[in-house]
């Protein structure tokens, strides 16, 4: 085969999720060029980038409307100068999670379930992220620490469910994920593994045949909670991933964060939940944003959020209305608002 033919074949092949992950957009100038936006009309904060760099996967950026500073997807990734605003009550660790961290990578806050930080990083940096100040390196378990986490779970018969979180738990390879799932399946009292992930939305290529196979073959009940905030985040590739997962019996749920000027209006939330349901995903939580330093420009008041939920109740069947919640340190579960 000539080199010419080889390179043709290469460029014909769709990029794998790992290739997409190693080619994220991290330079704001590049993002602006792709989106045909003039930087002078919306300056970005270099300081914000130092603290929490820009990270955007290309398949997600393709869904952003060109030339529109108000695009709801762009707003979620753009390092705004407002991140430097210091507001009383907005702090680095509002949930005081360090207090519930018995082992590296393991949070045990609620009865019956533990949360494992399966991967130290995400495929995207969401500017409103409540874990943006979280020390992932300190919470990125080594093999030995994994063994300790499994032993901790096995020793507490009240734990029935393991929640894989992150970072993004699907940022690990299929091989590592399969290993993790098998280790969990060997803990007798566990019935359920739940995966909290944004990867099926931002890089839908992550839903590989191998991943679907390992989920299909596990003895455990599997729940996937994706994180989608706006109907515009759904495209054909994302929808195909949802279908592949629900076809093998994975229970598909969505959680969103209510975000000012992204989805804090009834039409956006109605469209989102209807669209998700058409593709086998039910709403789970609508989170109030936590009061994390640097995210105040996304903050929505309880009163506004409560009114939105009332409008949703008046417009949708009950099963399409997400539960509006907030996390309060010290509570035995998420707190319902409205
Ligand atoms: C949110 C969360 C859970 C899961 O709570 P559910 O109400 O079951 O979704 C578990 N552990 C931690 C640390 C959490 O923050
Ligand atoms: S994917 Fe989730 S954890 Fe990662 S940056 Fe976004 S909100 Fe934060």
């Amino acid at each position: 085969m000539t080199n010419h033919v080889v390179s043709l074949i290469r460029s014909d092949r769709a990029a794998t999720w790992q290739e997409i992950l190693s080619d994220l957009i991290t330079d704001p100038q590049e993002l602006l060029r792709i989106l045909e936006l003039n930087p002078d009309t919306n300056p970005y904060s270099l300081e914000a980038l130092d603290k929490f760099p820009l990270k955007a996967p290309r398949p997600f950026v393709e869904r952003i409307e060109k030339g529109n500073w108000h695009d709801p997807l762009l707003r979620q990734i753009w390092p705004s100068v407002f991140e430097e605003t210091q507001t009383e009550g907005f702090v680095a660790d509002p949930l005081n999670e360090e207090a519930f961290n018995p082992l590296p990578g393991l949070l045990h806050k609620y009865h019956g379930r533990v949360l494992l930080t399966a991967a130290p990083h995400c495929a995207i940096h969401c500017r409103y992220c409540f874990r943006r100040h979280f020390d992932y390196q300190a919470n990125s378990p080594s093999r030995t620490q994994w063994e300790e986490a499994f032993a901790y779970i096995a020793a507490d018969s009240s734990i029935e469910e393991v929640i894989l979180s992150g970072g993004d738990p699907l940022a690990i390879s299929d091989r590592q994920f399969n290993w993790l799932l098998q280790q969990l399946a060997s803990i007798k009292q566990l019935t359920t593994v739940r995966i909290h992930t944004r990867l099926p939305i931002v890089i839908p290529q992550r839903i590989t045949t191998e991943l679907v196979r390992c989920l299909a073959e596990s003895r455990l009940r599997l729940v996937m909670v994706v994180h989608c905030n706006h109907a515009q985040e759904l495209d054909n590739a994302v929808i195909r991933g949802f279908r592949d997962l629900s076809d093998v019996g994975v229970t598909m749920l969505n959680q969103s964060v209510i975000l000012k000027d992204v989805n804090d209006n009834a039409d956006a939330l109605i469209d989102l939940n209807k669209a998700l349901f058409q593709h086998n995903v039910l709403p789970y939580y609508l989170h109030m944003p936590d009061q994390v330093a640097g995210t105040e420009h996304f903050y929505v008041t309880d009163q506004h959020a409560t009114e939105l939920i009332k409008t949703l109740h008046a417009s949708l069947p009950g099963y399409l209305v997400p539960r509006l919640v907030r996390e309060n340190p010290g509570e035995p579960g998420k707190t319902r608002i409205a």
Side-chain angles (χ1 to χ4, degrees):
M1 219 184 281
T2 67
N3 279 339
H4 176 65
V5 174
V6 171
S7 71
L8 261 183
I9 290 172
R10 286 226 175 97
S11 62
D12 255 14
R13 176 178 70 64
T16 65
W17 69 273
Q18 290 98 333
E19 286 164 349
I20 297 169
L21 201 55
S22 60
D23 182 33
L24 300 173
I25 298 172
T26 55
D27 173 9
Q29 294 297 338
E30 184 188 1
L31 183 64
L32 294 176
R33 262 197 316 279
I34 293 172
L35 296 176
E36 298 167 14
L37 287 163
N38 174 357
D40 304 337
T41 57
N42 194 343
Y44 53 91
S45 163
L46 288 174
E47 218 177 311
L49 286 174
D50 272 352
K51 289 186 193 142
F52 193 55
L54 172 73
K55 250 186 170 186
R58 290 172 200 276
F60 183 81
V61 170
E62 279 165 20
R63 292 167 236 158
I64 298 177
E65 190 192 345
K66 290 200 166 70
N68 180 11
W69 274 119
H70 303 292
D71 185 281
L73 277 54
L74 175 61
R75 187 165 156 80
Q76 294 179 59
I77 58 173
W78 186 246
S80 156
V81 286
F82 290 115
E83 290 180 36
E84 295 316 307
T85 312
Q86 306 223 343
T87 311
E88 224 186 295
F90 285 73
V91 296
D93 179 18
L95 302 180
N96 189 25
E97 284 193 321
E98 303 204 343
F100 302 95
N101 207 186
L103 291 171
L106 188 145
L107 284 175
H108 192 184
K109 258 168 95 168
Y110 301 151
H111 179 77
R113 52 231 198 267
V114 293
L115 189 147
L116 290 182
T117 308
H121 51 273
C122 292
I124 187 167
H125 276 174
C126 312
R127 306 311 301 182
Y128 54 84
C129 181
F130 75 98
R131 291 227 163 99
R132 56 184 289 156
H133 304 287
F134 192 69
D135 187 354
Y136 280 122
Q137 288 317 320
N139 271 285
S140 173
S142 63
R143 273 277 165 132
T144 331
Q145 288 168 328
W146 274 120
E147 306 291 349
E148 283 167 12
F150 301 142
Y152 177 96
I153 298 166
D156 182 341
S157 60
S158 74
I159 301 170
E160 293 178 9
E161 176 177 13
V162 169
I163 300 169
L164 301 178
S165 179
D168 198 308
L170 291 184
I172 60 178
S173 70
D174 284 337
R175 196 172 46 81
Q176 285 172 304
F177 189 86
N178 200 4
W179 174 80
L180 180 54
L181 200 58
Q182 280 176 8
Q183 298 297 309
L184 293 172
S186 71
I187 302 175
K188 298 230 163 25
Q189 89 273 13
L190 283 186
T191 59
T192 309
V193 166
R194 190 196 320 176
I195 306 157
H196 275 252
T197 174
R198 193 149 157 71
L199 260 160
I201 307 294
V202 302
I203 307 183
Q205 292 78 356
R206 177 65 190 92
I207 309 306
T208 59
T209 317
E210 173 62 17
L211 178 70
V212 173
R213 192 191 55 76
C214 104
L215 295 172
E217 288 175 359
S218 177
R219 72 155 184 92
L220 295 157
R221 264 313 270 136
L222 289 154
V223 181
M224 187 176 285
V225 184
V226 295
H227 172 181
C228 179
N229 294 317
H230 195 282
Q232 198 181 313
E233 291 171 36
L234 305 173
D235 68 4
N236 288 336
V238 173
I239 289 165
R240 200 174 320 121
F242 290 167
R243 203 181 45 223
D244 289 347
L245 292 161
S246 59
D247 276 355
V248 296
V250 178
T251 297
M252 299 294 292
L253 303 173
N254 179 58
Q255 62 173 348
S256 311
V257 183
I258 183 161
L259 299 166
K260 190 171 166 192
D261 297 333
V262 173
N263 60 7
D264 66 331
N265 68 81
D267 287 344
L269 292 174
I270 290 169
D271 288 351
L272 170 64
N273 289 301
K274 280 185 173 174
L276 285 166
F277 179 61
Q278 285 311 308
H279 305 293
N280 295 353
V281 183
L282 280 169
Y284 184 36
Y285 283 144
L286 178 61
H287 285 273
M288 287 299 291
D290 297 299
Q291 300 202 331
V292 181
T295 68
E296 192 215 347
H297 55 300
F298 288 111
Y299 201 69
V300 172
T301 63
D302 281 19
Q303 193 197 349
H304 180 44
T306 307
E307 277 162 16
L308 281 174
I309 287 294
K310 280 193 193 143
T311 311
L312 293 195
H313 266 299
S315 326
L316 292 170
Y319 60 86
L320 290 191
V321 182
R323 302 165 179 83
L324 181 65
V325 293
R326 128 165 337 112
E327 244 183 286
N328 288 324
E331 296 286 326
K334 316 268 189 245
T335 310
R336 285 289 276 272
I337 306 165

